[in-house]
Amino acid sequence: MTALAPARPAVRRTLLRLHRPALLVWTAFVLLAAGALFWVHHTAAPRDRDCARPGHWCTYTALTDTNNVMNLLGEALSYAPCAVAAWAGAALIGRELETGTARLAWTQAVTPVRWLTAKLTTAALPLLTGSALLALVYGRVWSADHDVLVTHWTWDRVFVPRGPLLPALVLCALVLGALAGLALRRTLPALAAACAATLALRLYLHELWRPLRGPLTGFWPLHLAATGLVLAVASTAGAAAYALLRRRAA
């Protein structure tokens, strides 16, 4: 046990160094999306309220129209988990198994379970932090400014990023990507399979909650139910990933 203890921080430092470009891209995405949401709340929405008053008029472009910006952000956030899954399946897991780097690490005081745990936790922390921040900001902005927004909460681009469903989908995408990488052990097939699985889950949720929109008048019961379903899928995929890893490493 004492010989294995120093390996944990070393593995995390190595992971951060290897995946620094992806971390920088994710950080830039979070900052840009949050900045656009703050612009909507503090600039675009007040302007639209002024323009709606008698005697006032405003001109818009595709990039300054409040609803266009919110719709674009909502779509980007609701499908961001697919990109996370593709990265996790290809770069985080699949590439290291394909090149043999993973097995090399397993022979140097890092067990397969610790290797996978370190990878998932190191990736999950920034992903969950960023997606939770974006969900919080998006929800606050939409709730405060929905009087000038055309999109209803039942639309996917509002329903997904407005609460904990977004970080739940991101976490699930990370785990599905890891499972695809472990199962296929090749970069491109794992990328395609992880992205396809996450997209299928995303579209399944759309079909699942669509018939429930009519009788429900509250947003949160449906949103929390969808979040629970996604977390259940993530837990199942995580258990399958560790079981597959133990079998492959045996």
Side-chain angles (χ1 to χ4, degrees), residues 28-39:
F29 173 75
V30 171
L31 292 177
L32 287 173
L37 288 168
F38 282 119
W39 174 82

Side-chain angles (χ1 to χ4, degrees), residues 36-102:
L37 288 168
F38 282 119
W39 174 82
V40 166
H41 181 60
H42 293 288
T43 303
R47 177 205 60 199
D48 287 356
R49 293 188 185 96
D50 290 337
C51 294
R53 296 175 182 175
H56 292 75
W57 63 276
C58 299
T59 58
Y60 302 94
T61 66
L63 296 179
T64 61
D65 182 84
T66 309
N67 281 282
N68 282 351
V69 174
M70 285 296 289
N71 290 341
L72 178 62
L73 286 172
E75 292 289 349
L77 292 176
S78 64
Y79 285 100
C82 296
V84 172
W87 170 78
L92 189 67
I93 301 295
R95 183 173 60 190
E96 294 205 16
L97 291 173
E98 184 176 21
T99 60
T101 307

Side-chain angles (χ1 to χ4, degrees), residues 13-179:
R13 286 195 298 269
T14 302
L15 288 173
L16 288 173
R17 184 169 62 252
L18 286 174
H19 300 292
R20 186 179 300 167
L23 179 61
L24 292 176
V25 169
W26 174 250
T27 302
F29 173 75
V30 171
L31 292 177
L32 287 173
L37 288 168
F38 282 119
W39 174 82
V40 166
H41 181 60
H42 293 288
T43 303
R47 177 205 60 199
D48 287 356
R49 293 188 185 96
D50 290 337
C51 294
R53 296 175 182 175
H56 292 75
W57 63 276
C58 299
T59 58
Y60 302 94
T61 66
L63 296 179
T64 61
D65 182 84
T66 309
N67 281 282
N68 282 351
V69 174
M70 285 296 289
N71 290 341
L72 178 62
L73 286 172
E75 292 289 349
L77 292 176
S78 64
Y79 285 100
C82 296
V84 172
W87 170 78
L92 189 67
I93 301 295
R95 183 173 60 190
E96 294 205 16
L97 291 173
E98 184 176 21
T99 60
T101 307
R103 289 198 172 272
L104 179 62
W106 300 346
T107 63
Q108 299 183 0
V110 180
T111 65
V113 171
R114 285 190 176 181
W115 170 82
L116 180 58
T117 301
K119 280 186 165 294
L120 291 179
T121 55
T122 303
L125 287 176
L127 288 172
L128 287 177
T129 301
S131 57
L133 174 64
L134 289 175
L136 178 64
V137 176
Y138 189 96
R140 292 288 181 87
V141 171
W142 195 90
S143 297
D145 302 318
H146 69 273
D147 58 316
V148 296
L149 299 175
V150 174
T151 304
H152 193 261
W153 69 261
T154 54
W155 290 40
D156 290 358
R157 55 178 172 251
V158 176
F159 186 84
V160 173
R162 196 182 156 197
L165 180 56
L166 177 60
L169 276 170
V170 168
L171 178 63
C172 188
L174 175 65
V175 179
L176 287 174
L179 178 59

